[in-house]
Amino acid sequence: MMLIHFELLGAGLFCLGVYGVLARRSGVMILMAVELMLNAVNVNLVAFAAFRDIPTATGQVIAIFVITIAAAEVALALAIIMRLFRSRGSVNVDQIDLMGG
Amino acid sequence: MRVDFSLLLPEMLLAGLGFLVLIVDLVLPQERPERRNKAVAAVAVAGMAAVAAMALATAPDRTESVYGGLLFIDAYALLFKTLFLGVGIAVVLMSVEYVGRVIRHPGEFYGLIVFAVLGANLMASAGELLTAYIALELLSFCLFVLVGLTRGDRRSAEASTKYILLGAISSAVLLYGISLLYGTMGTTVFREMGPGLAINFSPTVIVGFAMLLAGIGFKLALVPFHLWAPDVYEGAPTPITALVAVLSKAATFALLLRFLAEVSTGRFDQWQLALAVLAAATMTVGTLTALVQRNIKRLLAYSSIAQVGFVMVGVVAMTEAGANAVLLHLVGYAFTNLAAFAVVVTVEAKTRKEEIADYAGLSTASPLMAMVLTAAMFSLAGLPIFAGFITKFYLFTAAADAGYLWLAALAITNSVISLYYYLRVVREMYISEPEVEPERIRLSPSSAGALWVLLAGTIAVGVYPGPLAAAVDAATDALRAYAGGA
């Protein structure tokens, strides 16, 4: 296994996430796609930290922080989507057009 | 590594204040919501004023950094901290009446504002990418919640959903960029990354840097990442619209300017051109779209997009004069925009109206508010004696001196076009005949006081920028690229 394999895995996951974000209508599904993108970031960070000759553990540390912040972000986003569901009865993002923006 | 925690005292106290505000809201009796609201707001305002005074009093005379360069405690951070705390105080003052009417738990509202200010302060101090990212998320998370805090308003629920989904996507893009830069440079500390970053043109660095810029561009609402802005501005509780427009923009500029100045030594050719194109697109789209808006909050949204484009003109220059102009404009812009929003918030709290046509007759209903809004509109348009004129003048001169004459010319053209929509609001207030006889609007002492202070600030920056310019000069001297400059 070489660094390039991990980089490709990361890039592939990220593109999958971007596709999900663009193709999905449901707010929850978009969140899951964002999670894919964030995990691509983690793969990248850990792989760089392991393979490149970097003395400090910055990569792993950032990955841990990314996991933590992503968890907080999902909790917040789900709560907000719940509110949207209560007021509109749907989590479809292409139906939120009250303001036409 | 020894860490001098006393340097971080203002940040720690501000975090403590956030919790204190939440607790005060909990322990005060629930039966008198009006008094509870005022007491909680008073705690927040007094606390932020105390933290600002402390930060100014304990500021070290030279640049200090803690945690091995993760955070800088310097004149640059100090200027922005004072500005952000001032913005926080102004927003709390202008929202007291609004909160009493719309929000059930004032503690959540004011507490989140305090935490947002804390995030903004850390962004201005951050000297490392992960620290900057965490500070950015602290600010953004608070704003996501605040935007959706009006219960029962469907626009508010929609706005916060859009904001958090797009915000999550943009931070994923930003992080991917950070991971690529980390992989190439082997560090995330600004000072260690530069000045190599500015001249390294490997594909990884280009992609990583572009993704970083895209993530930051989202927070700034640069075109083409601006689509969230008008809806969020319209749907958010109006005081929070002011917070998004002023605090998050200024904090992101603080971060961007420090990052660019630390990783380059002043020149950044290819990237400068990319930034110039973004600036040109942002101000043109913002100005042209603002021409057709009917809702005052949407008008201010597009106007702030255009203003961000103007500030980018100064960032593009990458000279000390450009950085000075950016800081000066951000201070003037904070006063001006807060003044405009203070009027919009008060009018909305009194009459529940937010269309530009509803402002007909405001000059008889409340001469003070009409005067303040007029001054704000003149200042945003860049007319002399107000802050906008002098700061825009510095911005465009800096860009022209740095060789971006076309950008300066385009900025001036946009500025002239923008006169049309700013003056439309003024015409509505003073000339248009209102359909019904306007009722006189009585202002509470706190909002009247806030209006006078903001008006004075808008004019003071315009006629006597001397002391501010000196502070700004000291601030940019703390950045590596401009250290020891004239």
Side-chain angles (χ1 to χ4, degrees):
Chain A
M1 294 291 258
M2 308 264 292
L3 177 58
I4 184 79
H5 295 130
F6 288 98
E7 285 188 61
L8 283 177
L9 173 67
L13 269 179
F14 191 80
C15 293
L16 213 59
V18 173
Y19 171 77
V21 163
L22 295 176
R24 289 294 177 163
R25 293 285 138 81
S26 151
V28 180
M29 286 304 197
I30 292 180
L31 268 187
M32 289 171 68
V34 171
E35 285 295 297
L36 273 186
M37 292 162 79
L38 290 173
N39 283 323
V41 172
N42 289 339
V43 169
N44 257 3
L45 287 169
V46 175
F48 282 134
F51 282 90
R52 304 296 296 265
D53 200 16
I54 300 170
T56 55
T58 317
Q60 282 97 333
V61 173
I62 300 182
I64 291 172
F65 271 96
V66 169
I67 294 169
T68 324
I69 295 178
E73 191 157 44
V74 169
L76 207 57
L78 282 178
I80 288 174
I81 291 173
M82 275 281 282
R83 258 202 70 207
L84 182 79
F85 181 76
R86 285 215 191 108
S87 82
R88 320 238 22 202
S90 149
V91 291
N92 251 356
V93 288
D94 53 357
Q95 284 172 13
I96 52 177
D97 47 9
L98 223 53
M99 293 170 286
Chain B
M1 170 171 45
R2 267 195 74 246
V3 176
D4 185 359
F5 284 106
S6 67
L7 290 171
L8 290 174
L9 209 51
E11 278 75 19
M12 293 180 189
L13 286 178
L14 197 56
L17 176 68
F19 290 111
L20 180 70
V21 168
L22 290 174
I23 292 169
V24 167
D25 182 35
L26 279 179
V27 297
L28 283 181
Q30 307 284 318
E31 303 87 59
R32 324 227 341 227
E34 194 50 39
R35 273 183 69 179
R36 187 170 58 131
N37 175 21
K38 281 188 180 147
V40 178
V43 170
V45 167
M48 283 194 278
V51 171
M54 218 209 95
L56 284 170
T58 61
D61 335 327
R62 57 194 188 84
T63 298
E64 299 270 2
S65 65
V66 285
Y67 303 124
L70 297 200
L71 284 173
F72 285 104
I73 314 294
D74 55 9
Y76 181 81
L78 183 68
L79 179 81
F80 275 108
K81 274 180 210 172
T82 322
L83 174 68
F84 296 153
L85 286 162
V87 171
I89 291 171
V91 169
V92 170
L93 282 180
M94 75 170 81
S95 46
V96 174
E97 216 160 327
Y98 187 92
V99 169
R101 192 168 63 75
V102 180
I103 311 279
R104 218 177 306 162
H105 299 288
E108 291 171 6
F109 189 89
Y110 300 126
L112 284 168
I113 291 180
V114 172
F115 284 121
V117 171
L118 174 64
N121 282 358
L122 289 172
M123 276 168 83
S125 308
E128 191 258 353
L129 283 174
L130 178 65
T131 315
Y133 169 71
I134 292 173
L136 183 78
E137 290 295 40
L138 177 57
L139 170 63
S140 306
F141 284 10
C142 292
L143 292 179
F144 293 152
V145 179
L146 282 167
V147 165
L149 214 54
T150 39
R151 303 237 165 93
D153 184 348
R154 290 166 68 187
R155 289 188 308 173
S156 167
E158 279 193 21
S160 74
T161 309
K162 271 185 195 171
Y163 197 19
I164 194 168
L165 285 181
L166 289 171
I169 297 165
S170 83
S171 39
V173 172
L174 178 83
L175 278 172
Y176 199 81
I178 291 179
S179 80
L180 291 182
L181 290 181
Y182 166 70
T184 342
M185 318 300 290
T187 174
T188 48
V189 181
F190 296 170
R191 291 223 159 158
E192 293 168 13
M193 294 171 86
L197 187 62
I199 45 167
N200 186 338
F201 284 102
S202 70
T204 330
V205 169
I206 294 180
V207 174
F209 199 81
M211 290 175 104
L212 189 75
L213 274 187
I216 289 187
F218 169 84
K219 301 290 174 206
L220 289 176
L222 290 181
V223 173
F225 313 108
H226 68 292
L227 292 168
W228 59 273
D231 282 4
V232 169
Y233 277 51
E234 190 189 335
T238 316
I240 299 310
T241 311
L243 202 66
V244 175
V246 178
L247 188 69
S248 91
K249 299 281 162 68
T252 314
F253 269 118
L255 172 61
L256 178 66
L257 205 63
R258 188 193 285 275
F259 177 70
L260 292 176
E262 296 290 344
V263 299
S264 72
T265 39
R267 302 288 305 167
F268 219 161
D269 291 318
Q270 282 79 349
W271 290 111
Q272 263 172 299
L273 188 62
L275 290 172
V277 172
L278 280 180
T282 304
M283 63 192 167
T284 312
V285 170
T287 306
L288 294 184
T289 334
L291 291 175
V292 294
Q293 299 306 319
R294 292 168 186 285
N295 180 301
I296 187 108
K297 283 161 82 178
R298 284 185 93 84
L299 176 82
L300 286 171
Y302 283 107
S303 129
S304 88
I305 293 175
Q307 296 288 335
V308 165
F310 294 142
V311 182
M312 283 302 287
V313 171
V315 175
V316 165
M318 295 258 192
T319 55
E320 187 175 13
N324 281 342
V326 168
L327 264 56
L328 206 59
H329 188 83
L330 286 176
V331 177
Y333 168 84
F335 275 120
T336 307
N337 245 16
L338 286 174
F341 275 109
V343 173
V344 175
V345 170
T346 316
V347 169
E348 201 193 327
K350 301 284 187 194
T351 68
R352 312 201 171 193
K353 285 175 178 161
E354 49 182 67
E355 298 294 309
I356 297 173
D358 298 329
Y359 280 72
L362 188 67
S363 55
T364 34
S366 169
L368 172 63
M369 285 207 287
M371 179 175 75
V372 171
L373 191 55
T374 306
M377 290 294 142
F378 282 173
S379 175
L380 285 171
L383 294 183
I385 92 149
F386 298 106
F389 171 74
I390 189 98
T391 57
K392 270 188 188 172
F393 177 77
Y394 285 139
L395 278 175
F396 303 162
T397 321
D401 285 344
Y404 285 89
L405 208 54
W406 62 271
L407 193 60
L410 184 67
I412 292 168
T413 317
N414 272 316
S415 224
V416 173
I417 298 174
S418 74
L419 258 180
Y420 169 77
Y421 58 82
Y422 290 128
L423 290 185
R424 206 161 51 116
V425 179
V426 178
R427 189 197 66 187
E428 209 61 60
M429 288 188 295
Y430 283 98
I431 297 173
S432 291
E433 287 291 327
E435 282 165 26
V436 286
E437 192 57 29
E439 252 178 80
R440 215 169 153 73
I441 298 178
R442 295 179 66 85
L443 292 173
S444 68
S446 76
S447 16
L451 285 175
W452 277 111
V453 170
L454 293 169
L455 176 68
T458 307
I459 294 174
V461 176
V463 292
Y464 186 49
L468 181 61
V472 160
D473 217 31
T476 49
D477 277 344
L479 302 179
R480 178 161 80 175
Y482 313 126

